Amino acid sequence: ATKGNLYPVIWVEGASCTGCTESFAQAQTPNAAEVVLDMISLNYSETLSAAAGYSMEEAKEQTIEAGDYILIYEGAIQEKWGGNALRVAGKPGTEHLIEAAKNANAVVALGSCAVNGGWMGAKPNVTDAMGVQQYLKKAGINVPVVNVPGCPANPEWLTSVLVDVVLMKLKPADLDLNSEGKPAGIFNQTIHDNCERRGHFENGEFVYEFGSEEEKKGYCLYPLGCRGPQTKSNCGVVMWNDRRSWCVQAGAPCIGCCEANPNDPGQNWVEVNTPFLKR
Ligand code: SF4
Ligand code: SF4
């Protein structure tokens, strides 16, 4: 049941690896327990709830019936075979989404899978995986969707959306979202704009090979396929694991997880990551 006056939230997983839940569970500032126990009433989560089974399903149904809640949806929708490409608790996964979304004040599509199918939708996409917004539109469910991509999504991004809606009492329609339904303050700047290796990019100092002298010097990773210039997200500012590091700082070229859409022709993850600069 909903705790006191706290804002009810239900967290449903579709075709997911649970990485976005794991990412959130590691959050330190504020830590996940503070968010889940003091800021919201998390009435249902397959991974984070202490209870399980019928009592949890009941809590979810009661929350949906009462209305005035937020749905966090993690993972892709798999539409193939009448939604049975992902069958959960005896029902097509698509039905679980429709039931949970239709009475919600807003849906937070959490992680790249939920935003556009993520790697679940990679070619040849045999299960017709897609994002929440696309599926709800097809199903005629009219509910505001906030897209928070990332593989996994950064926990601070989810917390900032929850702060806006729960603590600042903003209506979903008043959130500052960009044309893709992503929070503009987080997803309107490129990785490249805030990258600590940017000076090397401007100086033409590049890493062409892992294990090279250039790599040791921390040069720019563009020739290795870094998608930082084409990817909009503030990873280099909020960083990961309690603001310790992030992909590019750790020496991995940005793969564009916040941007790549496997359902867009020409946006194949292999194609976009093919190295294109030679020494
Ligand atoms: Fe897992 Fe990435 Fe999908 Fe999140 S976006 S559920 S981390 S595959
Ligand atoms: Fe840009 Fe990537 Fe080079 Fe950073 S490592 S400066 S994001 S191309």
Side-chain angles (χ1 to χ4, degrees), residues 191-192 195-199 201 219-222 226-229 246 248 254:
I191 295 282
H192 194 58
C195 181
E196 62 222 45
R197 298 184 190 231
R198 177 65 182 265
F201 176 91
Y219 283 0
C220 167
L221 302 166
Y222 192 58
C226 183
R227 299 294 295 168
W246 63 294
V248 170
C254 167

Side-chain angles (χ1 to χ4, degrees), residues 181-204:
K182 301 171 182 170
I186 299 169
F187 295 105
N188 271 11
Q189 51 204 319
T190 66
I191 295 282
H192 194 58
D193 284 342
N194 295 308
C195 181
E196 62 222 45
R197 298 184 190 231
R198 177 65 182 265
H200 294 302
F201 176 91
E202 301 298 340
N203 289 342

